[in-house]
């Protein structure tokens, strides 16, 4: 009976030892599996962390590049906006200058038009004045020619009258000269017939001269006395 109990005890001890050995083996196996799982999870976590870091770094780089690109695009946009604004300002300035030039040209055109109209009016006035002056000058010339013609006619008439008077005067003078010659000849005849004494020569000479002058006055025409 003791052998049976001992055998039972031994069997139970073997069973218990086997059970605990199995449990220990299973526990070890589970521990190893757990350690492997933990190592795997750690590796996975590390790999995931590395990938996450890579993704984060890639994302950061992408964000940096995107930020750089955005800044470059913003700067380019600012430059383009500045260029467009400068072009707009230049276009506005050019437009204002063009409008000012158009206004100045219009003012200049109006001024030139007024000056042209004034010049035309002045030229017309001067032409009309010169025409009036020419007509007046022509009338004055005609009047002067008429006066000259009248003066020439009067001069010719006066010259004719003077010539006629001079001819009549010459004829009268010739007649008087002939009469004077006749008188002188007559007086010489009378002188030659007179007796002249030497002692009374000077007194007789004066007496005879007086007689000759009286005879000449008596013989002269009435118009010459």
């Amino acid at each position: 009976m003791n052998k049976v109990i001992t055998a039972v005890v031994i069997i139970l001890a073997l069973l218990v030892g086997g059970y605990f050995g199995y449990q220990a083996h299973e526990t070890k196996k589970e521990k190893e599996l757990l350690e492997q799982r933990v190592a795997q999870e750690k590796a996975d976590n590390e790999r995931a962390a590395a990938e996450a870091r890579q993704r984060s770094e890639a994302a950061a780089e992408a964000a940096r590049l995107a930020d750089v690109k955005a800044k470059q695009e913003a700067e380019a946009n600012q430059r383009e906006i500045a260029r467009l604004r400068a072009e707009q300002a230049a276009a506005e300035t050019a437009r204002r200058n063009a409008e000012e030039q158009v206004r100045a040209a219009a003012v200049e055109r109006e001024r030139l038009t007024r000056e042209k109209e004034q010049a035309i009016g002045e030229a017309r006035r001067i032409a009309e004045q010169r025409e009036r002056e020419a007509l007046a000058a022509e009338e004055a010339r005609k009047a002067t020619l008429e006066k000259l013609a009248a003066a020439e006619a009067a001069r010719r008439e006066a010259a004719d009258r003077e010539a006629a008077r001079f001819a009549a005067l010459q004829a009268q003078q010739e007649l008087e000269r002939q009469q004077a010659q006749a008188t002188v000849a007559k007086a010489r005849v009378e002188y030659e017939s007179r007796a002249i004494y030497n002692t009374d020569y000077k007194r007789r000479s004066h007496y005879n001269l007086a007689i000759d002058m009286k005879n000449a006055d008596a013989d002269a025409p009435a118009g010459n006395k």
Side-chain angles (χ1 to χ4, degrees):
M1 185 161 177
N2 289 329
K3 290 182 178 180
V4 174
I5 295 170
T6 300
V8 171
V9 172
I10 293 171
I11 293 170
L12 290 173
L14 291 172
L15 290 172
V16 171
Y19 173 76
F20 284 108
Y22 175 76
Q23 287 295 329
H25 178 71
E26 289 295 328
T27 301
K28 183 180 180 181
K29 185 178 179 181
E30 289 177 1
K31 184 179 179 181
E32 291 176 355
L33 292 175
L34 179 60
E35 290 176 354
Q36 291 178 0
R37 192 181 304 114
V38 170
Q40 184 66 36
E41 288 178 357
K42 184 179 180 181
D44 293 340
N45 291 333
E46 290 177 356
R47 185 172 60 255
E51 292 177 354
R53 282 195 305 272
Q54 290 178 356
R55 287 193 298 270
S56 177
E57 292 175 357
E61 183 65 18
R64 187 185 67 80
L65 294 176
D67 184 62
V68 172
K69 184 178 181 181
K71 288 182 179 179
Q72 292 177 350
E73 290 178 353
E75 292 176 356
N77 291 333
Q78 290 295 329
R79 289 194 297 269
E80 183 66 16
I81 291 171
R83 186 183 66 81
L84 292 175
R85 287 178 178 175
E87 290 181 355
Q88 183 179 3
E92 182 67 18
T93 302
R95 183 185 65 81
R96 291 179 181 177
N97 291 335
E99 290 178 353
E100 184 65 25
Q101 290 178 0
V102 169
R103 285 193 295 269
V107 172
E108 183 68 13
R109 184 169 59 253
E110 292 177 358
R111 185 184 67 80
L112 292 176
T113 301
R114 287 194 302 270
E115 290 182 356
K116 181 179 179 181
E117 291 175 353
Q118 292 175 358
I120 292 174
E122 183 68 14
R124 185 182 298 112
R125 185 187 66 79
I126 293 173
E128 292 175 353
Q129 181 179 357
R130 288 180 177 176
E131 185 177 358
R132 290 192 298 270
E133 291 175 354
L135 291 175
E138 181 64 19
E139 292 177 357
R141 187 183 68 83
K142 290 180 180 179
T144 302
L145 291 176
E146 291 177 356
K147 289 180 181 180
L148 289 175
E152 182 66 19
R155 186 186 65 78
R156 286 196 298 270
E157 291 178 359
D160 293 341
R161 287 194 302 271
E162 183 65 19
R165 188 184 69 80
F166 183 72
L169 180 61
Q170 284 184 338
Q172 180 68 24
Q173 289 178 351
E174 180 65 20
L175 178 62
E176 290 176 357
R177 186 181 64 79
Q178 291 177 1
Q179 290 177 353
Q181 289 179 353
T183 301
V184 170
K186 180 179 178 182
R188 284 179 180 176
V189 172
E190 291 178 355
Y191 292 157
E192 291 176 354
S193 62
R194 293 172 184 167
I196 301 174
Y197 299 97
N198 293 329
T199 58
D200 199 22
Y201 175 77
K202 186 174 181 180
R203 186 181 303 110
R204 176 63 62 180
S205 177
H206 289 184
Y207 174 78
N208 291 334
L209 180 60
I211 293 299
D212 290 337
M213 292 178 66
K214 289 181 179 180
N215 291 331
D217 291 335
D219 295 334
N224 291 331
K225 287 183 179 182

